[in-house]
């Protein structure tokens, strides 16, 4: 039989859901908008995995965000400082927001 493509499937593949708390909470006020987007992308990339850790690949992140690695390093440092991600053995571990 046919697998139909639904509008919701298309929308899901074309958007990144940024948790609202990153914008509404006073705690995350100083977190840059690009770090918030990066967090959403990393969170989505690990959504269907047993653990929220992925091999760390600067090149893929840089390409996805159309940015240079120096910028991505700054945004990752922000996420680490806010305890949203950690880097363990060359993998990014994405933490849930409390």
């Amino acid at each position: 039989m046919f697998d139909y493509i639904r509008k919701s499937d298309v929308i899901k593949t074309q958007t990144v859901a940024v948790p609202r708390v990153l914008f509404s909470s006073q705690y995350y006020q100083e977190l840059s908008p690009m770090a918030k987007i990066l967090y959403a992308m990393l969170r989505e990339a690990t959504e269907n995995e047993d653990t929220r850790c992925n091999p760390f690949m600067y090149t893929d992140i840089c390409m996805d965000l159309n940015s240079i690695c120096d910028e991505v390093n700054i945004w990752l440092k922000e996420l680490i400082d806010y305890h949203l991600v950690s880097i363990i053995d060359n993998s990014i571990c994405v933490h849930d927001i409390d």
Side-chain angles (χ1 to χ4, degrees):
M1 282 293 165
F2 295 104
D3 284 337
Y4 292 98
I5 298 174
R6 294 178 175 78
K7 183 178 177 182
S8 61
D9 296 332
V10 173
I11 290 171
K12 192 182 298 184
T13 61
Q14 295 178 346
T15 60
V16 175
V18 180
R20 185 176 302 274
V21 70
L22 292 179
F23 293 100
S24 62
S25 172
Q26 198 71 6
Y27 179 75
Y28 298 109
Q29 183 177 358
E30 297 297 319
L31 191 61
S32 71
M34 287 305 295
K36 294 172 184 180
I37 292 169
L38 176 58
Y39 174 76
M41 292 176 74
L42 293 170
R43 187 173 173 215
E44 186 178 278
T46 60
E47 192 171 57
N48 296 324
E49 297 183 15
D50 293 337
T51 63
R52 286 207 175 237
C53 291
N54 243 0
F56 186 59
M57 303 183 99
Y58 274 114
T59 308
D60 291 342
I61 294 170
C62 294
M63 287 175 49
D64 287 346
L65 293 176
N66 195 25
S67 302
I68 60 173
C69 288
D70 290 342
E71 293 173 321
V72 173
N73 283 333
I74 291 168
W75 302 326
L76 279 173
K77 171 123 177 50
E78 287 182 60
L79 295 176
I80 290 168
D81 291 345
Y82 278 86
H83 308 288
L84 294 171
V85 301
S86 57
I87 299 176
I88 301 170
D89 297 329
N90 290 330
S91 291
I92 295 179
C93 296
V94 181
H95 307 291
D96 290 325
I97 298 174
D98 295 332

